Amino acid sequence: MSFREKSAWVMAAVLLAVGAFYVKLVTVDGVPPAAAAIPFVLAVIVLSVAAQIVLAIASPKEASSPADERERVAIDKAGHFSSYVLAVGVLVGLGQFMLTADGNGMFHTMLTCLILSQVSEYGAQVFFFRRAM
Amino acid sequence: MGKRTPITNRVRELREANGAMSQAALGEAVGVTRQTIIAIEQGRYSPSLETAFRISRLFGVGLEDVFGWEEE
């Protein structure tokens, strides 16, 4: 498995784990947006940096090399795919606000869709790294 | 996984004929990862023209001695 595929798996796992934590804070604990989003963002930053450091220590040569031509195509396609997930999330959030006038609800919906779009981007990267292009 | 490209190649054969060069060594020589060399050999990825030329020049053969076209 290439360094970038490992990185995509790890980042997807980090986002899913921290995203689940965020959803729990919002749905179970009823935490307001700022109080839920700040620990979420901090956890994503800290865990992502830690995971990338561990991966770079395990494969220093690959970590310092830029993505090659096949990886760049896969990364671009995955980014394109995830943009649709994000766009749907934005439309759902806007529709939710139009119907309920609930700004907190819109915030949570959009942040959840941002997490989902990132997870879908990493998932699509793994898919395109493996399939024929 | 997935559909093979219509471009065929003799990369594995040429690698083995050139002192059993490893996929990693070939990748490093032409500027791609080992996984990309594996994908090329398995017909899952068609390399750019630049990489195709780099591979053929490395083996000292013409482009069409390495890559071919398989009618679908």
Side-chain angles (χ1 to χ4, degrees), chain A:
Chain A
M1 192 187 294
S2 71
F3 171 79
R4 283 185 178 74
E5 188 176 337
K6 283 181 206 160
S7 177
W9 277 112
V10 167
M11 290 305 296
V14 165
L15 280 167
L16 278 174
V18 183
F21 169 68
Y22 172 81
V23 170
K24 181 208 168 265
L25 282 181
V26 171
T27 57
V28 179
D29 304 336
V31 173
I38 291 169
F40 165 77
V41 171
L42 289 176
V44 168
I45 291 170
V46 170
L47 289 173
S48 302
V49 170
Q52 291 300 325
I53 288 171
V54 171
L55 285 174
I57 289 169
S59 314
K61 198 173 170 189
E62 279 187 278
S64 58
S65 305
D68 76 4
E69 58 181 52
R70 186 181 63 92
E71 291 171 332
R72 282 197 300 273
V73 172
I75 291 167
D76 288 348
K77 282 184 169 184
H80 181 75
F81 171 75
S82 74
S83 71
Y84 289 109
V85 178
L86 184 60
V88 168
V90 168
L91 290 175
V92 170
L94 292 174
Q96 178 185 10
F97 186 74
M98 278 171 52
L99 295 173
T100 65
D102 175 9
N104 285 357
M106 180 178 75
F107 181 92
H108 292 316
T109 299
M110 287 190 172
L111 187 54
T112 302
C113 288
L114 180 61
I115 296 165
L116 289 177
S117 79
Q118 284 298 299
V119 170
S120 73
E121 181 168 352
Y122 292 121
Q125 279 183 18
V126 170
F127 175 75
F128 289 124
F129 284 149
R130 292 182 171 208
R131 81 184 283 266
M133 289 192 287

Side-chain angles (χ1 to χ4, degrees), chain A residues 68-70 130 132-133, chain B residues 3 33 36 44-45 48 51:
Chain A
D68 76 4
E69 58 181 52
R70 186 181 63 92
R130 292 182 171 208
M133 289 192 287
Chain B
K3 195 178 146 197
T33 60
T36 294
R44 290 189 290 112
Y45 176 67
S48 67
T51 300

